[in-house]
Amino acid sequence: VLHWLNDTGREVDSDGKPVRQEVNLRRLILLIKPEAGILSIGVLGLLVSTGATAAQPLFFGKVLDAATHSMGDINRSVITLFLMYVVGSIMAIIRGWLFTLAGHRLVARLRKMLFRSIIRQDIAFFDVSRTGELTNRLSSDTQVVQNAVTVNVSMVARNFLQIIVSLTLMLILNAALTGVLISVIPVVTLGAMQYGRFVKNLRKRFQDFLAEASTTAEETISSIRTVRSFTGEDKALTTYAIDIDKSYNVGKKLSLASGMFEGVVGIIANGAITLVLWYGAKLMLEGHVTAGVLTSFLLYTLQIAIAFAMLSSVYGDFMQAVGASFRIFDLLDRQPVVPIEGGLKSNHIDGEIKFEDVQFTYPSRPDSEVLRGVSFSVSSGSIVALVGPSGGGKSTIVSLIERFYDPSFGRILLGGRDIRTLDPQWFRRKIAMVSQEPTLFACSIKDNIAYGRDGSTEEVMEIAKQANAHNFIETFEENYDTLVGERGVRLSGGQKQRVAIARALFMDPAILLLDEATSALDAESEHLVQEAIERAMENRTVIVIAHRLSTVRNASKVLVIDKGQIVEAGTHDELLSKDGVYKKLVLRQLMAGSVTVNDN
Ligand code: ADP
């Protein structure tokens, strides 16, 4: 689990270092830079519409004062007022449209950048991150940032400007009255800031609890079969409900706070208006101001009160966005230890593999060494079988050949070159993997087979035939266009295996990494899968985690892996004659798993 808030509630990055908020703000602004063109027109709209709104009370008062002069004056001032409204509204449309548009463009860009950064991370990163958390970053955090840097920025600018312009005009109208109003402002500002700080913390906690809940929900829904079969519904509900209740409890406090705040702001605003009204009426009585000026004044007071209320409500959103942006930047900045591209490439790859004293510890479990000095070599085009008790380190060896992780000591050579000097994308294209329980994507069978590279339907069909998959695919109504998985056909275990073999073969890999299925398929399927695998192995370097006796018999070398070490090595016959671990332990295991294949 990634920790973005430490125990004391401070924001820390994924390495536990505290984060400075100014840095985030500056970067947020840099993010909006490409939208500068759109935004500058938006700002123009904002300036004009705010100016128009700010001038309205002035002209409103003029209409009233014109009422004491002539009909001509009345008409002129009413028309001016109406024109102000029209211009102001048109400009407000432009402002609203362009700021929102800029927001959408920003969030689309941000999401692509973020997704790119996520899928380029180390496998080790995914060992410790929960899927729900990462998808949350992509969907809700980016949304919060979008609102902040566009809608909220526009609101802040508009209201701030409004306050400045209104106050200036008021000062020109009547300095004494303005003084009365200004005396209230510091009280409101301080209160609003205090409230903003309080709400910021609450909102962050609210968001965190909600993220927890959605992670639980996602896990439950995506593993619904396991949940159902273990009758885990109540348990899942309880876990979910606890998280939701936590967020609800924060929500309760938030509602009270926002209600109180609105009430208090209302009291202060109305108080200010009453005060201005009282003082203004006094000035009017003494003949210092006209009814029109007083009306303008009251309208300004109202405008300023509303602007203040808006500003303070935005403050909370803004603070929330700073938190969200920080989590986004942390992910964006994260450099994978194992890069996904860059390094040596060549036209030809030799399938020779060599491990030199490889030691390895999973980054997520630093205390237990998984491989302890593993050395072996596989000559090009030969088959090496890995056997041994489960948990010994066989899959880990396979993962290291794909460079999912780097060894903590020692080297892995591919065609005589240290794997760390090679371009990972390049050499991964020369390696294909078929795992025990292959994952197929929710797209057509054709697209599943042609996942590693593009290819024509004829090519796909040719490969599917080699993988013994063509016949069953033909029985589907839509043949190769049949959708797999959710909203498509559910393939049987054996069928999935054969599609996965076809997908591997389609890459025409120099090296094939195989994890034989331990669970027995039905005899017919077993035979077809086995035949496909044997065909796939031809003319390739193969490393196979073996569970079948026939496989170890065919292998040119068998490595017995136990507790992270190679405890025995040799051909099947050599190991049998040794009378060691292989014979005692492994052979019994292999025989048990291979009954269906070899006895038929
Ligand atoms: P085998 O394939 O022989 O069954 P593995 O290579 O899967 O063995 O596992 C070797 C050891 O590494 C085990 O103790 C296992 O718990 C641990 N291990 C495997 N995968 C991971 C991982 N992604 N993160 C942390 N530890 C792991």
Side-chain angles (χ1 to χ4, degrees), residues 127 362 364-365 370 388-397 405 545:
D127 284 345
Y362 279 99
S364 55
R365 283 177 55 197
V370 173
S390 106
K394 302 181 293 294
S395 316
T396 305
I397 289 177
Y405 310 89
I545 300 177

Side-chain angles (χ1 to χ4, degrees), residues 123-124 127 360-365 368-371 387-399 405 436 515 545 547 561-564:
I123 299 295
D127 284 345
F360 180 67
T361 304
Y362 279 99
S364 55
R365 283 177 55 197
S368 70
E369 190 162 52
V370 173
L371 296 184
V387 298
S390 106
K394 302 181 293 294
S395 316
T396 305
I397 289 177
V398 169
S399 299
Y405 310 89
Q436 277 197 25
D515 193 354
I545 300 177
H547 298 292
I561 317 283
D562 188 16
K563 300 194 185 74

Side-chain angles (χ1 to χ4, degrees), residues 82 193 287 392 430 502 532:
F82 182 69
M193 281 173 74
K430 317 286 176 188

